[in-house]
Amino acid sequence: MRQPQGQRRAVVALLDTVKYPATELVDLYHRRWQAETAYFSIKATMLDGRVLRSRSIDGLDQEVYALLTTYQALIRAGDDALTGRPDIPMERISFTVLLAAATDTVTASHGIFPSTLVDLVGTIGRAALSDLLPAHRRQRVKARTRKNPTSKYGPNAGQHPRKAQNYTVRTTVAFFAHGLNSRSWP
């Protein structure tokens, strides 16, 4: 059955419509994709295909926290650039532009210290404001994919098996009400 343009159907196991209204589920779904987009920004844009280099748990923790801190600082710079501009939503700020402006600012070593006492926009913010994303974009319903030009799989990799196959998927969702607890490693 074809759906009208812009409408989607979701099959969920949450049957209590009072406790789980459909509008909230749709909102949560799109918020989830915002989180996925953030992880994509870190993985594809900031790391640019590179892998983490540490060979220890503490080193990996340090690298991950450094990436998350840098990501948050760039998003904060974009948000600061919108101070006094309520007509522009945060979704129009390009993370790629924020990262490029920050990289250029740090490597060229100019524009790091503001010329005025309080300059919330700064060099990074001005770059983001000068290259805004389009005003009306559809909400993402599927992750972006990036084709690998040098695939290690043969030409028949995309063909489906002739027989139906059964799979069992298990998912564990953990909510951290009081932050991350110390982890135990095997």
Side-chain angles (χ1 to χ4, degrees), residues 33-112:
W33 277 112
Q34 288 289 24
E36 292 290 335
T37 303
Y39 289 129
F40 176 81
S41 295
I42 292 171
K43 181 179 172 186
T45 308
M46 291 176 70
L47 286 175
D48 194 26
R50 296 183 304 262
V51 296
L52 299 177
R53 298 173 297 202
S54 294
R55 298 187 188 275
S56 69
I57 301 290
D58 290 337
L60 287 173
D61 279 349
Q62 183 178 6
E63 282 188 71
V64 168
Y65 282 122
L67 286 169
L68 292 171
T69 302
T70 304
Y71 175 83
Q72 190 62 38
L74 290 174
I75 294 300
R76 183 67 186 260
D79 187 53
D80 286 348
L82 296 178
T83 301
R85 302 285 303 268
D87 56 318
I88 303 174
M90 184 62 187
E91 291 79 27
R92 292 197 57 201
I93 298 292
S94 167
F95 182 77
T96 306
V97 171
L98 291 172
L99 182 61
T103 302
D104 292 345
T105 301
V106 170
T107 56
S109 296
H110 58 74
I112 293 176

Side-chain angles (χ1 to χ4, degrees), residues 112-122 126:
I112 293 176
F113 295 106
S115 57
T116 61
L117 186 58
V118 176
D119 183 18
L120 289 177
V121 176
R126 279 189 287 282

